[in-house]
Amino acid sequence: MAGFVYNPAEFKKFKVDIVDSGKTISYELPLVSHIPPEVTDYADAMIVQRTNEVQKVRDARNEKRLPIVGADPETAYPTNLDALMWMLEMIEPDLATHIAKWPYGARSELWEQWQEASKISVEKSEASSDSSGATE
């Protein structure tokens, strides 16, 4: 009897449907917990790169005593939605192209639903239940 079988083809997916000009385009994304390491490594590298770029701009502005405005893209640190886009660029580039045109709220809702669908349910194990057979 096999203990653990690693088969990515059997991993659950998160479905994204886009209705465009009356036609539905469907995509399937891996659950967040099953994103391949090369994708998360790329997103992490982009976050670090962008953070360093932003910090240089902020440092320069601080030296000159210039204001740092949150709405200025040059001084905005990367967000979860930036990470979403960097991951989708590798996982489903066509989907990333569609999502790049979406308003903030729709992108945020997609991120939240993808995260929610990816949560791992923790079931109570027998060892942690009162039925373990232990007596006082």
Side-chain angles (χ1 to χ4, degrees), residues 56-69 72 74-75:
K56 285 180 186 175
V57 171
R58 285 175 168 246
D59 289 347
R61 289 190 182 179
N62 278 333
E63 277 184 28
K64 297 176 184 176
R65 310 278 299 154
L66 296 172
I68 296 174
V69 180
D72 183 349
E74 284 192 322
T75 62

Side-chain angles (χ1 to χ4, degrees), residues 74-132:
E74 284 192 322
T75 62
Y77 288 110
T79 66
N80 286 339
L81 296 183
D82 294 319
L84 166 73
M85 294 307 295
W86 290 319
M87 288 189 290
L88 290 179
E89 285 172 8
M90 291 191 72
I91 297 169
E92 282 288 355
D94 187 50
L95 177 59
T97 301
H98 281 283
I99 292 172
K101 301 172 191 172
W102 292 6
Y104 174 85
R107 287 181 288 134
S108 183
E109 188 174 333
L110 170 64
W111 176 249
E112 289 171 15
Q113 287 186 23
W114 189 17
Q115 294 247 320
E116 186 64 32
S118 299
K119 285 185 179 175
I120 299 170
S121 63
V122 180
E123 295 183 12
K124 195 173 185 181
S125 71
E126 276 191 331
S128 66
S129 72
D130 289 337
S131 63
S132 64

Side-chain angles (χ1 to χ4, degrees), residues 31-50:
L31 298 183
V32 174
S33 58
H34 289 79
I35 294 173
E38 61 271 15
V39 174
T40 56
D41 290 349
Y42 171 73
D44 290 345
M46 293 301 295
I47 289 167
V48 169
Q49 177 184 332
R50 179 70 188 134

